Amino acid sequence: MNPILKRIITALSTAALVVWAIVKVPTGWIPPAVWALVAVAVLEYALLLKRKLPLHSARGVLLLAVGLAVIGGGLSALSEAALRHGNWMLLYLIAIVKLSDMGGFAFGMSSARLMKGGNHKLCPTISPNKSWEGLAGSVIASVLMSLAFLPVTHFTGPKAVAFGVVAALVGTAGDLVESKFKRWVGVKDSATFMPAGLGGFLDMFDSLLFAPAVLLSFI
């Protein structure tokens, strides 16, 4: 199967499972589920880090602690959102960030094919496929999703637009941070124990490393 098609199918399947879980499960179940994801993501991070340097070295311990703080602190905001504001607000935060991912991917791929000479690269040394056109697509998709959630969030229109823009920008920043880490350890995908072509846990959640915490602080 085409790797891109495989990733799209995986992403849609994962999204459907996440939506079902958030809507159906009691709020009290959210924190344990989030921390289980954190544990898997940190394990994947540690296995990737081990490729570059010994984990028992001073630098290894420091980078492992930084990764634990970033991954644990970032993703823990998801459970905090559910506990403070309910499951639907949690779904909102995830939806606007992940839809920005999809919008960026769609706009980036389309612009690369349609524009003469290709699109305009955002950070070619870190993530060669990221483009300014893709970032614009991320913002558009995230804003539209944020507006669609107005019956849930009860935000004003301008606030919903602002949240959509911030989600796209901060989500892209998380993606770039993970891409920089992958380049440093010399891998294309973060997967260490998942089938080839499906990416990894860090690939799935990189855009959620900073965005939920940033957005939650303004709700």
Side-chain angles (χ1 to χ4, degrees):
M1 183 184 293
N2 183 285
I4 294 178
L5 179 59
K6 185 185 291 187
R7 288 204 176 198
I8 291 174
I9 293 174
T10 302
L12 291 176
S13 301
T14 303
L17 178 61
V18 168
V19 171
W20 176 86
I22 291 175
V23 171
K24 293 294 184 180
V25 306
T27 300
W29 291 15
I30 299 295
V34 168
W35 284 108
L37 292 175
V38 168
V40 175
V42 169
L43 173 60
E44 186 173 74
Y45 171 80
L47 292 174
L48 289 172
L49 186 61
K50 189 178 179 182
R51 297 186 179 200
K52 193 69 177 180
L53 46 79
L55 295 182
H56 61 271
S57 66
R59 192 179 182 195
V61 171
L62 176 61
L63 289 177
L64 192 58
V66 170
L68 177 60
V70 171
I71 296 170
L75 294 183
S76 65
L78 296 175
S79 61
E80 189 67 18
L83 293 174
R84 285 193 201 175
H85 304 286
N87 288 18
W88 281 99
M89 186 60 76
L90 169 62
L91 181 59
Y92 165 71
L93 293 178
I94 295 175
I96 59 175
V97 174
K98 298 311 292 182
L99 259 292
S100 86
D101 279 354
M102 295 176 66
F105 177 79
F107 272 64
M109 291 287 289
S110 300
S111 61
R113 292 177 179 175
L114 297 177
M115 294 179 65
K116 186 177 181 180
N119 51 22
H120 302 83
K121 301 304 179 184
L122 180 62
C123 292
T125 59
I126 297 177
S127 184
N129 293 325
K130 281 272 187 295
S131 66
W132 288 103
E133 290 81 3
L135 180 59
S138 293
V139 171
I140 292 170
S142 186
V143 166
L144 290 176
M145 181 54 63
S146 186
L147 291 171
F149 267 81
L150 281 176
V152 172
T153 62
H154 304 294
F155 290 165
T156 62
K159 185 174 182 178
V161 170
F163 266 59
V165 173
V166 172
L169 296 178
V170 183
T172 299
D175 194 329
L176 290 173
V177 167
E178 195 239 0
S179 294
K180 179 66 175 178
F181 172 72
K182 288 190 298 182
R183 282 194 164 274
W184 180 63
V185 299
V187 298
K188 184 177 184 297
D189 296 328
S190 69
T192 53
F193 42 78
M194 293 177 68
L198 293 185
F201 277 84
L202 291 177
D203 289 327
M204 291 181 185
F205 298 108
D206 54 5
S207 57
L208 291 167
L209 291 178
F210 306 122
V214 171
L215 295 172
L216 186 60
S217 65
F218 291 102
I219 293 178

